[in-house]
Amino acid sequence: MPQSDKRALLAEGLAAGDDDAALHARLVAAGVSAAAAKYEVDRLAKDPMAAELRAQAARMAKQRWLFANQQRLAFEAEGGFALDTLAAPDADHFYRHYYEANRPAKLVGLIDHWPALTRWSLDHFAAVAGDAVVEAQVERERDPDYELAKDDHRRLVRFAELIDWLRQDEPSNDIYLTAYNSGTNAAALAPLWGDMAPIDLLDPARTSDGFFWLGPRGTLTPWHHDLTNNLLVQVIGRKRVRMAPPWAFDRMKNSRHCFSDWGNAALPAGPGDAATPPVLETIIAPGEAIFLPVGWWHQVEALDLSASMSFTSFRRPNVHVEDYASYGAL
Ligand SMILES: O=C(O)CCC(=O)C(=O)O
């Protein structure tokens, strides 16, 4: 085996926290003789890079223990690891027990006063903005990485054309007008703000600050976490939302940015196990919302033709995204 391959195996083992015996076994399992493996492992004692990798692995192990404590505490909580449903909660209660506690919740009764709840339909969208050109995500089904490569999937379409396609009511994950398209769509979809009204939990100074989502039954937003706290409000149709806590990081297969290699896996609701994260699952119906705290993983499936709004305009700075890059994270 070339020296570089042995070094790669050793680096992998050191990063995983292997002790000398485990490193030796790793090399032998890969076909290195016992004597050569002993020589390589002994040499590490004088290697400053190995020392630093060992120290870093120990720091990571400490972080895993801290996360394991979070899991134990969450499971011990009254009601166990569960998603609370709050009926039009008082803002102080919501911020103290959910937003600041980084705890998700299903929220009902937040938008009972929105005309959109009875007004929004494909006919309404066609009437108020059918002639506008909007941007949507398209050709998602041909690309397993459609979320990571979302810039490649942006297309301009006449809104009326998209609406007519939606009228077929075919299940599809191919076309989805998402929050990511909001920059382009702000002017075209501005008339829809007349169908909405302030939400008590949000910043009253930012009433027209939100993101529109429209898609057929069958859209799938793969497992990812946001870089902000987020309120997803359902107006037409239902969505199934699965969530996994940030402290399940070790089981989230995070190899790229905010995305998880679990993709759209239907990870089962429940406590999880050594390989799978604990998962909370709910369905939000028209008039219902889900609070998605920053860092919580989620995967979303539209069970019907669906129109939603999402908001990040909380009464708190919600600026977590701003220093993300400075951490040099994935
Ligand atoms: O509704 C969806 O399809 C995805 C929503 C979501 O993931 C988000 O707002 O971060």
Side-chain angles (χ1 to χ4, degrees):
M1 176 183 294
Q3 186 62 16
S4 60
D5 288 3
K6 284 186 224 155
R7 297 284 292 166
L9 279 172
L10 288 169
E12 208 175 280
L14 287 164
D18 281 9
D19 60 13
D20 282 358
L23 288 172
H24 188 268
R26 197 181 274 267
L27 288 179
V28 170
V32 179
S33 73
K38 180 172 179 334
Y39 173 76
E40 292 297 338
V41 172
D42 287 350
R43 268 189 349 148
L44 294 178
K46 292 192 223 96
D47 181 339
M49 284 212 267
E52 192 44 51
L53 263 176
R54 283 199 152 112
Q56 184 60 9
R59 284 190 285 266
M60 295 292 291
K62 171 66 75 73
Q63 288 184 1
R64 280 200 300 282
W65 176 76
L66 292 167
F67 276 167
N69 293 339
Q70 301 281 107
Q71 167 156 329
R72 270 188 286 270
L73 292 166
F75 285 10
E76 281 167 14
E78 200 184 323
F81 178 67
L83 183 71
D84 291 347
T85 299
L86 312 176
D90 164 71
D92 288 345
H93 180 80
F94 167 76
Y95 280 94
R96 177 163 185 153
H97 296 288
Y98 296 89
Y99 189 97
E100 289 150 11
N102 195 240
R103 186 167 173 207
K106 180 171 175 174
L107 301 149
V108 298
L110 285 190
I111 60 158
D112 289 354
H113 57 305
W114 279 20
L117 270 183
T118 49
R119 221 180 260 168
W120 278 12
S121 65
L122 294 180
D123 286 342
H124 179 69
F125 297 146
V128 300
D131 288 337
V133 171
V134 295
E135 185 187 280
Q137 299 301 112
V138 303
E139 295 177 22
R140 291 155 49 103
E141 285 179 353
R142 67 165 169 78
D143 177 4
D145 273 339
Y146 58 88
E147 267 298 328
L148 198 68
K150 49 183 161 221
D151 279 327
D152 300 341
H153 292 266
R154 292 151 76 128
R155 291 287 184 289
L156 292 175
V157 283
R158 256 189 70 236
F159 198 25
E161 246 174 76
L162 172 62
I163 290 167
D164 283 344
W165 181 79
L166 290 169
R167 286 186 202 283
Q168 299 168 26
D169 199 25
E170 295 285 336
S172 172
N173 185 31
D174 214 36
I175 302 190
Y176 196 8
L177 194 161
T178 72
Y180 195 61
N181 307 115
S182 294
T184 310
N185 295 342
L189 301 180
L192 297 179
W193 284 109
D195 305 328
M196 293 176 259
I199 292 179
D200 262 359
L201 297 180
L202 300 177
D203 181 349
R206 296 166 65 192
T207 46
S208 301
D209 193 347
F211 310 96
F212 181 66
W213 302 73
L214 177 66
R217 164 168 55 109
T219 57
L220 294 165
T221 299
W223 283 101
H224 69 286
H225 67 79
D226 295 338
L227 298 175
T228 56
N229 290 282
N230 188 5
L231 183 70
L232 179 65
V233 178
Q234 201 53 20
V235 184
I236 298 178
R238 297 162 307 148
K239 276 179 173 167
R240 178 190 290 117
V241 185
R242 298 186 172 98
M243 282 160 286
W247 39 261
F249 182 73
D250 58 341
R251 285 156 283 175
M252 282 316 298
K253 303 190 186 184
N254 179 210
S255 57
R256 293 173 303 170
H257 191 42
C258 300
F259 297 97
S260 162
D261 294 343
W262 286 113
N264 278 302
L267 294 173
D273 56 27
T276 61
V279 169
L280 298 173
E281 180 179 320
T282 191
I283 289 174
I284 48 172
E288 299 181 340
I290 188 93
F291 169 57
L292 297 165
V294 61
W296 272 72
W297 302 87
H298 48 284
Q299 189 264 343
V300 182
E301 176 181 359
L303 303 177
D304 304 303
L305 167 78
S306 165
S308 328
M309 289 295 299
S310 61
F311 299 91
T312 56
S313 51
F314 289 92
R315 301 184 189 184
R316 295 285 185 277
N318 208 8
V319 290
H320 316 284
V321 62
E322 286 176 12
D323 63 356
Y324 182 75
S326 72
Y327 278 76
L330 287 168

